[in-house]
Amino acid sequence: MSSRLSLRLSRLLNMVPYLLAHPGISAAEAAAELGVTTKQLMSDLNQLWMCGLPGYGPGDLIDLSFSEESIEVTFSAGIDRPLRLTSTEATALLVALRSIVEMPGMVDPTAAHAAIAKIESAIASTDAVVTPAAVPVEQPVVATVRAALADAHALRLVYYSASRDEVSERIVDPIRVVLVDNNSYLQAWCRQAEGVRLFRFDRIEDATELDEPARPPSHAAADAAALDLFQDDPDVPLARLRLRADYAWVLDQYPMHRIESRPDGSIEAGMRFASAEWMARLLLGFGTGVTVLGPPELVTAVRDRADAALAAYAAAGLPGETESA
């Protein structure tokens, strides 16, 4: 969920200067440029219309004139003006830049380090000497993927799938690079799976840019569900769980989907998982708030771990909570 909100925030912040540079653009053209559906763009414009400077009255909020035929920014609320950073803001920006430059594929490291040098130079005192940091060498695979994205070309990937513990070769149509849970991924349309998939950069063993143009389906770039790491892939095991009524919040915190709401307030939900051992550890942390209904091997793994934990508590003379698997 947080990755989707971050993606939308980034899009909203970029929309004002983009629309200022393209006055009168149609919703269909802008949506295609921004990689969203026309419906999503109109929703974004309605939200953007209520953003602006503190005060939030006439003359403070962004003002737009928009329809599906034409979009124009009539008041930008200062978003078009250059920022003047305080030392605290500049420091925070430097920390963020240094963090993101270490994530493969997220930015051009040379450009990022040039920006870092400019910020450091701007905030340094006149007698301070800023020692430039060494620019990290970008891995060839990462450089190839970024080049294919820039050229809108298809890619041939050799990729290690952790969920299947196998290496496969596939042709993909790149869409964008995203950051999820401190790992960078290529979001692309996989021609083999006929769906949007995320490919973690450190699991791409080889990449070749093809001469043919990338042709992801029009709906693929706007498919928000494609940012979920655990997709409804039938090749990945599905856990069936029963959440106690007071544990409904778990649905919002983990990639689960609701299957059924029961009369007692409990919820049956499903969640894909790559490793039974990992899933068992996760579920044990919920105690009796979450009960495993299937598959049988996961039920057994949770029960065995719970029994071992209770035995360890008993041996230490400590009370333990019984896990219902």
Side-chain angles (χ1 to χ4, degrees), residues 74-201:
T74 54
F75 180 68
S76 66
I79 288 185
D80 56 327
R81 294 200 301 264
L83 290 175
R84 290 189 176 182
L85 302 176
T86 65
S87 59
T88 301
E89 291 169 336
T91 301
L93 184 57
L94 285 172
V95 171
L97 278 170
R98 290 193 179 109
S99 297
I100 201 169
V101 79
E102 296 174 1
M103 306 303 297
M106 295 302 298
V107 294
D108 179 347
T110 302
H113 275 271
I116 289 171
K118 288 180 181 178
I119 296 171
E120 288 177 334
S121 177
I123 64 175
S125 61
T126 54
D127 57 346
V129 177
V130 177
T131 303
V135 179
V137 177
E138 190 170 37
Q139 294 295 321
V141 165
V142 177
T144 299
V145 172
R146 285 202 311 102
L149 268 168
D151 299 336
H153 283 175
L155 279 165
R156 177 181 287 109
L157 299 181
V158 176
Y159 186 74
Y160 169 68
S161 173
S163 62
R164 299 180 182 84
D165 191 26
E166 65 181 21
V167 175
S168 63
E169 182 175 312
R170 60 189 78 196
I171 305 296
V172 303
D173 299 296
I175 298 172
R176 61 172 67 92
V177 175
V178 295
L179 183 65
V180 183
D181 294 337
N182 294 321
N183 287 299
S184 50
Y185 294 79
L186 169 67
Q187 183 189 24
W189 176 264
C190 177
R191 297 183 187 178
Q192 177 180 321
E194 297 186 341
V196 177
R197 294 292 184 267
L198 291 178
F199 300 96
R200 203 164 115 175
F201 269 90

Side-chain angles (χ1 to χ4, degrees), residues 3-15 47:
S3 61
R4 299 178 196 174
L5 293 176
S6 297
L7 186 64
R8 189 178 192 194
L9 175 60
S10 176
R11 188 168 66 246
L12 288 173
L13 291 174
N14 287 322
M15 280 176 68
Q47 181 162 344

Side-chain angles (χ1 to χ4, degrees), residues 274-286:
S275 163
E277 181 180 355
W278 176 87
M279 192 66 175
R281 290 199 304 269
L282 172 69
L283 296 174
L284 283 171
F286 297 125

Side-chain angles (χ1 to χ4, degrees), residues 26-105:
S26 71
E29 290 176 305
E33 287 287 333
L34 295 169
V36 296
T37 62
T38 302
K39 181 180 178 181
Q40 180 63 63
L41 177 72
M42 298 304 287
S43 174
D44 287 345
L45 289 171
N46 274 300
Q47 181 162 344
L48 192 61
W49 191 38
M50 300 302 295
C51 299
L53 301 171
Y56 309 112
D60 298 315
L61 298 176
I62 293 171
D63 199 4
L64 304 163
S65 172
F66 62 93
S67 66
E68 291 199 5
E69 288 71 37
S70 176
I71 305 169
E72 189 165 354
V73 178
T74 54
F75 180 68
S76 66
I79 288 185
D80 56 327
R81 294 200 301 264
L83 290 175
R84 290 189 176 182
L85 302 176
T86 65
S87 59
T88 301
E89 291 169 336
T91 301
L93 184 57
L94 285 172
V95 171
L97 278 170
R98 290 193 179 109
S99 297
I100 201 169
V101 79
E102 296 174 1
M103 306 303 297

